[in-house]
Amino acid sequence: MSPAIAAKDGGRQRRPGSHQHCLDVRSEVPPSLAVCGDGPAGAEAEALLPPETPTTRGPRGCRAELGSVLLLLALYVLQGIPLGLAGSVPLILQSKNASYTEQAFFSFVFWPFSLKLLWAPLVDAVYMRRFGRRKSWLVPTQYVLGLFMIYLSTQVDALLGDGQGRGPDVVALTVTFFLFEFLAATQDIAVDGWALTMLSRENVGYASTCNSVGQTAGYFLGNVLFLALESASFCNKYLRFQPQPRGIVTLSDFLFFWGAVFLITTTLVALFKKENKELTPTKEETKGITDTYKLLFSIIKMPAVLTFCLLILTAKVGFSAADAVTGLKLVEEGVPKEHLALLAVPMVPLQIILPLIISKYTAGPQPLNTFYKAMPFRLLLGLEFAFLVWWTPRVRHEGGFPIYYYVVVLLSYALHQISLYSMYVAIMAFNAKVSDPLIGGTYMTLLNTVSNLGGNWPSTVALWLVDPLTVKECIGAQDQACGNALEAELCTKAGGSCVTTLDGYYVESVVCVVLGFGWWFLLGPKFKKLQDEGQSAWKCKRTN
């Protein structure tokens, strides 16, 4: 619904804690022994599973590893900061009258987290043994992130424009924040891998909790808290006795502060935290980057996997207008961006409870039934969102918006979250169900990556098409048009004004819902049938 409100369909949002990391091959068969394709994987394949490394010490309680748990939590909080900051920029751009074409270009910033599988093998295979496998990437990446944030704090105000004739430099912002998110995604690969060896086997389950809680907290700090403290109206209304023209913090201040935090934290980790070599089995050594890429390619060539990828890449087209454009349209209609961001706060309990409830229905042999049943409700909510945008200027008054308006928005968002999580949990359950356990990390991460891309590209296209589909007329000046920025400027100079006669958002909303129901009727049954495929359709053959 808004970049400020994290959805689960794409890379722009914080992702849930999942530690079957793409290339943590400690519990996997070496890539050279796997050839993916149809065929049985019998008991002889099970013999290829590496034996568990016995430990000489007894079970360790969580308290014995409290320091490691807290460190993981801190690292995941830091990981959420760039995600939150990147999610806040589209709302800032919208308040500065950026075009939707520019918003579409900036949306590429959210792709690195969905594409990190492309360079994860490199992070997994290249390292300095003496310094530590994960620290070899974590420490330099976080140092670069910290220095990058401090440098960016000196440039970001100019990049966002001064509001006095100079608009935002969207191209420079996109390149800058794309690198920002690329570094954050690389840090994520290193932290996910380290989480599995930092904690003992009996406590490794806490890594997922650290991921979920830490990323949520970091996203909240970098997005919701920042947008609230950056807003002059919010600070004047709730935090100050004397009104001021600016918020308590600026984006420049925020970047500098967290850049310093990154540098301090990284220095402490580099000096005082050692990797737990006792929990690093010898088979963790990767067989080679080339072998890993060959394994990924062989997985995706399997007919069942290829069908799944093609279908999931198109399944979310129907939601793209509602998910990518609605929040920006609400800001355009006058809803304060910080109020939209704050809507995420009451949703946190719902986001915690929903997966627990929905998992009861997706834990069986047919999790995609839940996906299929939730899809039409989420499509219809797209039309409800369009009505909400249409209704927004009609309830606005001089003092802002009435309480009942925000109640309606909150309820709409809650319904959206229920349908979204129903589909998201179903896909995650299906991916876990079909992933070959002998190469589970690589396999499942590949499926999740494709699922994320299925949400990324429709959002970018939806943003890109808003402006071309919008029809404007020049009122008050003859022989003038408003087809582009130059024509709009000429219209204004001639004494006229551009008036929207057809908003491309409403066109998109209807078209997306029609396409979504078309997918649901024509391809949905085929998508459901994938769960009826035998295990051999998803398993890899093993060779000696």
Side-chain angles (χ1 to χ4, degrees):
M1 182 173 179
S2 160
I5 300 171
K8 297 292 182 186
D9 283 343
R12 77 167 52 192
Q13 308 82 0
R14 67 184 184 273
R15 50 174 188 71
S18 175
H19 289 282
Q20 291 207 300
H21 188 256
C22 55
L23 292 164
D24 290 309
V25 293
R26 292 176 297 283
S27 60
E28 299 176 6
V29 60
S32 59
L33 297 178
V35 179
C36 295
D38 290 328
E44 70 277 7
E46 298 299 326
L48 292 173
L49 280 170
E52 293 187 359
T53 304
T55 56
T56 56
R57 61 169 182 247
R60 302 178 64 186
C62 179
R63 289 187 178 181
E65 297 185 300
L66 184 59
S68 295
V69 171
L70 292 177
L71 174 59
L72 273 180
L73 186 63
L75 292 175
Y76 281 119
V77 169
L78 292 180
Q79 190 181 114
I81 298 296
L83 293 172
L85 284 172
S88 67
V89 172
L91 297 180
I92 297 174
L93 291 176
Q94 194 69 10
S95 67
K96 294 178 177 290
N97 300 315
S99 69
Y100 285 95
T101 303
E102 291 173 324
Q103 291 279 13
F105 191 72
F106 186 81
S107 70
F108 284 108
V109 164
F110 305 107
W111 285 54
F113 267 84
S114 294
L115 297 174
K116 63 182 180 179
L117 186 64
L118 297 178
W119 67 92
L122 184 65
V123 176
D124 212 53
V126 179
Y127 59 94
M128 294 181 291
R129 186 186 301 272
R130 292 186 63 183
F131 191 52
R133 183 177 190 180
R134 305 305 174 183
K135 285 173 65 177
S136 295
W137 286 91
L138 177 71
V139 171
T141 299
Q142 288 200 169
Y143 269 132
V144 174
L145 263 171
L147 294 172
F148 191 63
M149 293 173 83
I150 291 174
Y151 173 75
L152 186 57
S153 70
T154 66
Q155 305 294 320
V156 71
D157 290 337
L159 294 177
L160 288 172
D162 54 14
Q164 298 176 354
R166 189 179 67 177
D169 187 345
V170 177
V171 174
L173 279 170
T174 302
V175 172
T176 300
F177 275 88
F178 185 89
L179 293 173
F180 196 31
E181 295 302 290
F182 173 81
L183 290 169
T186 304
Q187 187 253 22
D188 175 61
I189 297 168
V191 176
D192 279 357
W194 198 5
L196 292 169
T197 56
M198 186 183 296
L199 301 178
S200 60
R201 182 171 302 224
E202 56 268 20
N203 290 327
V204 75
Y206 288 105
S208 180
T209 304
C210 292
N211 182 306
S212 180
V213 174
Q215 276 200 359
T216 300
Y219 191 93
F220 179 88
L221 292 171
N223 187 288
V224 180
L225 182 64
F226 163 68
L227 287 172
L229 296 180
E230 186 261 352
S231 168
S233 60
F234 181 88
C235 293
N236 290 338
K237 187 174 182 179
Y238 298 108
L239 303 176
R240 286 176 175 150
F241 296 106
Q242 295 294 330
Q244 300 290 333
R246 296 171 56 182
I248 293 176
V249 300
T250 64
L251 183 54
S252 176
D253 299 331
F254 205 78
L255 284 167
F256 184 87
F257 172 79
W258 284 106
V261 172
F262 263 85
L263 294 180
I264 294 170
T265 304
T266 306
T267 301
L268 294 175
V269 171
L271 293 177
F272 299 111
K273 183 63 179 177
K274 305 296 181 184
E275 290 200 30
N276 196 342
K277 296 180 181 179
E278 190 174 314
L279 292 175
T280 305
T282 57
K283 287 201 175 184
E284 189 183 56
E285 302 297 333
T286 52
K287 299 290 288 185
I289 300 174
T290 304
D291 288 335
T292 304
Y293 282 118
K294 286 180 179 177
L295 173 61
L296 291 172
F297 186 65
S298 64
I299 292 172
I300 207 167
K301 285 196 305 182
M302 297 164 62
V305 175
L306 186 60
T307 302
F308 170 82
C309 292
L310 293 175
L311 290 175
I312 200 64
L313 282 172
T314 56
K316 300 172 187 176
V317 170
F319 318 128
S320 56
D323 291 355
V325 188
T326 300
L328 301 177
K329 275 292 175 184
L330 292 178
V331 173
E332 182 182 325
E333 296 295 349
V335 180
K337 60 183 182 298
E338 65 274 10
H339 289 181
L340 272 185
L342 287 170
L343 287 177
V345 177
M347 288 297 103
V348 171
L350 184 65
Q351 291 170 341
I352 294 173
I353 295 171
L354 277 175
L356 300 176
I357 298 174
I358 296 168
S359 60
K360 295 180 181 179
Y361 300 94
T362 59
Q366 296 185 316
L368 293 183
N369 288 354
T370 302
F371 180 98
Y372 186 76
K373 291 176 182 176
M375 188 171 182
F377 294 100
R378 187 173 170 188
L379 288 170
L380 291 175
L381 281 172
L383 296 179
E384 194 270 341
F385 280 178
F387 172 79
L388 187 64
V389 171
W390 174 85
W391 182 54
T392 297
R394 288 157 178 78
V395 297
R396 184 180 182 183
H397 52 71
E398 197 170 310
F401 293 89
I403 294 297
Y404 68 82
Y405 171 78
Y406 287 109
V407 172
V408 172
V409 173
L410 191 62
L411 289 175
S412 299
Y413 178 47
L415 292 173
H416 176 262
Q417 289 291 285
I418 293 172
S419 61
L420 184 151
Y421 269 81
S422 297
M423 299 178 68
Y424 170 76
V425 174
I427 287 294
M428 291 294 289
F430 177 75
N431 291 350
K433 172 178 175 283
V434 301
S435 294
D436 191 332
L438 292 188
I439 49 170
T442 305
Y443 201 128
M444 187 169 178
T445 302
L446 175 63
L447 298 182
N448 290 342
T449 296
V450 176
S451 299
N452 287 336
L453 285 176
N456 279 123
W457 79 262
S459 295
T460 297
V461 173
L463 287 166
W464 217 297
L465 289 176
V466 173
D467 286 337
L469 292 174
T470 298
V471 178
K472 294 182 178 181
E473 291 183 359
C474 182
I475 305 299
Q478 292 184 344
D479 301 326
Q480 297 293 334
C482 294
N484 52 50
L486 180 60
E487 291 179 349
E489 186 178 348
L490 293 174
C491 171
T492 304
K493 288 181 179 179
S497 61
C498 290
V499 176
T500 301
T501 56
L502 179 63
D503 194 326
Y505 167 68
Y506 299 115
V507 177
E508 270 194 20
S509 297
V510 174
V511 171
C512 283
V513 171
V514 171
L515 290 176
F517 273 108
W519 191 97
W520 187 66
F521 279 115
L522 299 176
L523 299 178
K526 186 172 184 177
F527 191 59
K528 280 202 306 178
K529 282 185 179 179
L530 287 174
Q531 62 195 353
D532 299 327
E533 294 276 357
Q535 286 294 319
S536 61
W538 305 94
K539 296 256 183 175
C540 290
K541 296 178 183 178
R542 276 82 189 177
T543 60
N544 293 324

